[in-house]
Amino acid sequence: MLLKQFLRIGLVGFSKKSCRSFTKQPDFTKNTYQIERGFYNYLQEPHLNYFKKILGDDGNRVITDESLLEHYNIDWFKNVKGSSKVVLKPKTTEEVSKIVSYCNANKLAVCTQGGNTGYSAGAVPVFDEVILSMELMNQILDIDVNSGNVVCQSGIVLENLDNILAEKGMMVPLDLGAKGSCQIGGNVATNAGGLRLVRYGNMHGNVLGLEVVKANGEVLDCLKVVRKDNSGLHIKNLFIGSEGTLGIITKVALRCPIRPKTQHVAFLGLQNYEKVLKTLRKCRQDLDEIISAIEVMDSLSLEWGEQHTKLSSPIGRYPYYLLIETSGSNEQHDEAKIQGFLESALNGHYILNGVVTGEPSKVKSLWAIRERLPEGFKNHGWVGMYDLSMPTDQFYNVVDELRTYLKNSADYVFGFGHLGDGNLHLHVITKKYDKRLETDVEKFLMDKILPMKGSMSSEHGLGFIKRKYLPAVNSSESYHFMTDLKKLLDPNRILNPYKVFP
Ligand SMILES: Cc1cc2nc3c(=O)[nH]c(=O)nc-3n(C[C@H](O)[C@H](O)[C@H](O)COP(=O)(O)OP(=O)(O)OC[C@H]3O[C@@H](n4cnc5c(N)ncnc54)[C@H](O)[C@@H]3O)c2cc1C
């Protein structure tokens, strides 16, 4: 729906720069990053026989076929590659418990894998860890429409769960570009943020309970379904964001908000970042109770997206873009509010141009421009993906300063992200991995971000790629507390080794 005549909707394409992408094949992680294998046992015939005894011998749930293994050994962004010889696909908590307890007793390292969409290379093995794929643990166990919650196995794909909840007028309080592949267990294990955190908060606020299999195979039942529970320590919270290093999440109880009846998305072009901040403040003042997402992109981000997704800006080219989404229960009310906001933002010269729509298919098309940006990362040499939290007024100072600092040593430096949450995704793109450049960029960013009391990993976790941050960005007391917890819960360090804990 076009709400104002001069908010024109059209498909004005950017001039296409030649695209330098190619099909990427990562080298083995151990070669790229030069690291040593831990003292774990190698997979042997008797181990495989045991797994087949539990999961069956038909080749569907104990995968050893080289051609099938590759998919599980390489991450979504094609940055890292492991050399696991087996993928196991349990269907029940009991099976997970038996597998993990056996691996613990036999000192076999385990890498739990959800949808394998993680940004930090936490879900693929570094060496030959046993891959525990959660993809067959995809059952919904209960939906409570009165209390507004769902209990499910952890391997269910986010979008599938959301579609089923939609039939009951409910929704998953999390949305991200990878929703068609990522799993609820992976979302919990990474404490995923996503596009609507500004409205619904993160997984710590939405997970009501968890069932977790510990490294020794014991099942830890924290699967409560109530929103308020102060009867002891909040143990489940330990596993939210633990990235497969403390236990295997097998079941999740999740709060499910009411699905909005109406949604509007505005896609706006702005002159400079000062205007972006002015519009952000205005948007909060005028639309606060119905805002569900506030995303920002700079012109280079959009140009990158255009080259790799065949999507184009509906409003032509501007230095900055804002995508603002509102969600509510009364279409006329929300439409009047967003129209009022846009009119006054235009008249006040906050924004230069924009389109707005409440039509579901067009809402989806506008979102695709933002959500599909990361697709091109798969096909480029090296993509340094920095996931930073900082005061919003500093976002593009940091991007510009890094761009100046790197001069010609990077092909692209651009930033986009969740402006409403103060979370910038900064990208440095080069033809191939260069350790010195990576170390340089990390030092540059740490020197900027840490004095601002910001975060070097807002929502993507540490995984393998950012594990060195753990001691660098936390106080030594909290770092040691974390390593003590790891020793307590996983004394043989079989769970996702080489990840999170350096
Ligand atoms: C296009 C795209 C857009 C994205 N957008 C966002 C975004 O907006 N916000 C955001 O936060 N992330 C985003 N991501 C990153 C990613 O989708 C999230 O981190 C997601 O939560 C990972 O889920 P997954 O099932 O793919 O987990 P995986 O990648 O398989 O695993 C991630 C980590 O969790 C562990 N893990 C997985 N399942 C379990 C389990 N059941 N028990 C214990 N540990 C487990 C793994 O060992 C690994 O360490 C995006 C990724 C892509 C490709």
Side-chain angles (χ1 to χ4, degrees):
M1 181 191 321
L2 186 60
L3 293 179
K4 187 137 175 82
Q5 222 176 1
F6 45 84
L7 291 173
R8 61 195 162 85
I9 197 151
L11 289 172
V12 182
F14 289 166
S15 64
K16 297 261 189 298
K17 270 211 307 199
S18 67
C19 172
R20 281 165 294 171
S21 66
F22 54 92
T23 305
K24 177 159 99 178
Q25 257 305 326
D27 191 3
F28 286 105
T29 310
K30 60 184 178 198
N31 299 340
T32 312
Y33 292 89
Q34 309 259 305
I35 57 165
E36 302 257 319
R37 188 180 181 279
F39 295 106
Y40 299 100
N41 278 326
Y42 290 91
L43 189 75
Q44 315 263 337
E45 204 57 38
H47 303 138
L48 281 175
N49 290 340
Y50 178 79
F51 297 140
K52 286 176 187 165
K53 208 169 101 192
I54 302 172
L55 303 180
D57 199 3
D58 58 5
N60 291 329
R61 296 171 67 203
V62 179
I63 316 278
T64 51
D65 180 334
E66 286 279 332
S67 62
L68 300 175
L69 286 174
E70 178 158 299
H71 168 75
Y72 299 89
N73 270 315
I74 298 180
D75 71 319
W76 194 90
F77 295 96
K78 298 190 187 164
N79 280 333
V80 288
K81 182 174 176 179
S83 49
S84 179
K85 303 281 179 264
V86 67
V87 175
L88 305 178
K89 297 188 181 180
K91 283 187 175 172
T92 65
T93 302
E94 201 191 349
E95 288 173 355
V96 174
S97 164
K98 281 184 182 158
I99 292 166
V100 176
S101 137
Y102 180 82
C103 290
N104 193 40
N106 288 277
K107 217 150 183 255
L108 290 170
V110 177
C111 173
T112 307
Q113 189 171 100
N116 193 10
T117 65
Y119 259 93
S120 304
V124 292
V126 174
F127 290 91
D128 55 348
E129 298 89 285
V130 169
I131 298 176
L132 192 65
S133 164
M134 304 304 282
E135 67 190 61
L136 299 183
M137 296 197 53
N138 55 9
Q139 300 301 304
I140 293 181
L141 306 171
D142 188 39
I143 298 179
D144 180 342
V145 288
N146 295 316
S147 308
N149 59 50
V150 63
V151 181
C152 57
Q153 284 187 306
S154 62
I156 189 162
V157 169
L158 169 57
E159 192 170 44
N160 295 349
L161 179 60
D162 194 54
N163 287 339
I164 291 165
L165 289 171
E167 290 165 18
K168 312 257 179 203
M170 294 153 76
M171 64 183 278
V172 179
L174 171 77
D175 188 18
L176 38 98
K179 58 179 160 258
S181 306
C182 67
Q183 301 173 0
I184 287 298
N187 302 147
V188 176
T190 53
N191 188 24
L195 303 164
R196 303 219 168 84
L197 186 137
V198 68
R199 171 75 160 262
Y200 300 107
N202 66 8
M203 297 308 271
H204 274 286
N206 288 304
V207 171
L208 304 173
L210 292 178
E211 179 190 79
V212 178
V213 173
K214 289 166 56 190
N216 61 6
E218 255 175 49
V219 180
L220 191 62
D221 182 355
C222 311
L223 198 64
K224 294 190 180 171
V225 290
V226 288
R227 284 192 75 180
K228 298 172 83 174
D229 174 30
N230 282 346
S231 50
L233 299 183
H234 297 186
I235 291 173
K236 70 170 165 53
N237 286 352
L238 270 183
F239 298 94
I240 302 175
S242 65
E243 301 182 63
T245 61
L246 300 184
I248 322 292
I249 298 162
T250 43
K251 287 181 191 147
V252 180
L254 198 65
R255 184 176 87 85
C256 304
I258 293 295
R259 203 169 193 88
K261 292 200 178 92
T262 174
Q263 269 176 330
H264 289 85
V265 169
F267 191 89
L268 311 173
L270 300 96
Q271 183 63 49
N272 54 44
Y273 192 60
E274 210 186 312
K275 295 277 166 94
V276 170
L277 291 174
K278 266 182 93 174
T279 312
L280 169 71
R281 289 197 297 275
K282 183 171 177 49
C283 166
R284 283 191 165 132
Q285 278 157 8
D286 294 4
L287 301 173
D288 190 47
E289 76 282 9
I290 52 171
I291 291 173
S292 47
I294 311 174
E295 297 289 309
V296 69
M297 287 174 274
D298 62 8
S299 60
L300 266 183
S301 307
L302 205 69
E303 186 180 299
W304 170 269
E306 281 221 326
Q307 287 185 24
H308 294 275
T309 61
K310 300 200 177 95
L311 295 167
S312 54
S313 160
I315 54 171
R317 194 178 268 237
Y318 293 93
Y320 292 92
Y321 304 87
L322 275 177
L323 187 155
I324 295 171
E325 183 194 72
T326 64
S327 306
S329 57
N330 182 323
E331 179 157 9
Q332 281 162 349
H333 166 270
D334 291 6
E335 195 177 303
K337 284 207 84 161
I338 197 163
Q339 185 166 16
F341 161 73
L342 291 172
E343 272 175 21
S344 86
L346 263 172
N347 294 337
H349 306 289
Y350 290 67
I351 58 178
L352 293 174
N353 196 1
V355 290
V356 63
T357 182
E359 210 177 292
S361 65
K362 289 188 179 148
V363 163
K364 227 171 157 181
S365 307
L366 288 180
W367 261 120
I369 299 169
R370 161 64 186 89
E371 286 184 34
R372 292 183 53 198
L373 266 178
E375 277 178 24
F377 300 161
K378 284 184 182 193
N379 294 321
H380 220 86
W382 178 71
V383 184
M385 301 179 285
Y386 301 95
D387 173 30
L388 312 165
S389 278
M390 68 186 99
T392 41
D393 56 359
Q394 293 304 314
F395 266 33
Y396 284 94
N397 290 342
V398 173
V399 178
D400 290 341
E401 285 166 21
L402 182 64
R403 207 173 271 148
T404 310
Y405 176 70
L406 291 177
K407 290 197 193 87
N408 296 329
S409 42
D411 292 351
Y412 276 93
V413 177
F414 57 75
F416 60 85
H418 313 300
L419 182 69
D421 317 330
N423 179 190
L424 174 75
H425 296 321
L426 195 161
H427 296 84
V428 177
I429 299 185
T430 59
K431 282 179 198 64
K432 64 178 187 358
Y433 175 68
D434 175 348
K435 191 169 169 46
R436 225 176 66 190
L437 180 81
E438 184 188 48
T439 312
D440 238 23
V441 173
E442 276 168 359
K443 180 166 176 351
F444 179 92
L445 291 176
M446 278 201 203
D447 288 348
K448 292 267 165 231
I449 303 300
L450 299 183
M452 292 185 221
K453 300 272 175 225
S455 170
M456 288 295 291
S457 182
S458 312
E459 59 175 9
H460 295 158
L462 299 179
F464 171 73
I465 289 178
K466 296 175 186 163
R467 69 200 188 286
K468 54 183 162 299
Y469 294 0
L470 194 77
V473 303
N474 292 293
S475 69
S476 85
E477 295 79 14
S478 39
Y479 171 64
H480 286 114
F481 192 65
M482 290 187 224
T483 52
D484 286 349
L485 268 173
K486 171 74 176 167
K487 273 183 216 148
L488 180 76
L489 287 166
D490 180 20
N492 291 333
R493 298 182 71 94
I494 61 152
L495 295 182
N496 225 1
Y498 324 102
K499 317 284 172 56
V500 181
F501 297 91

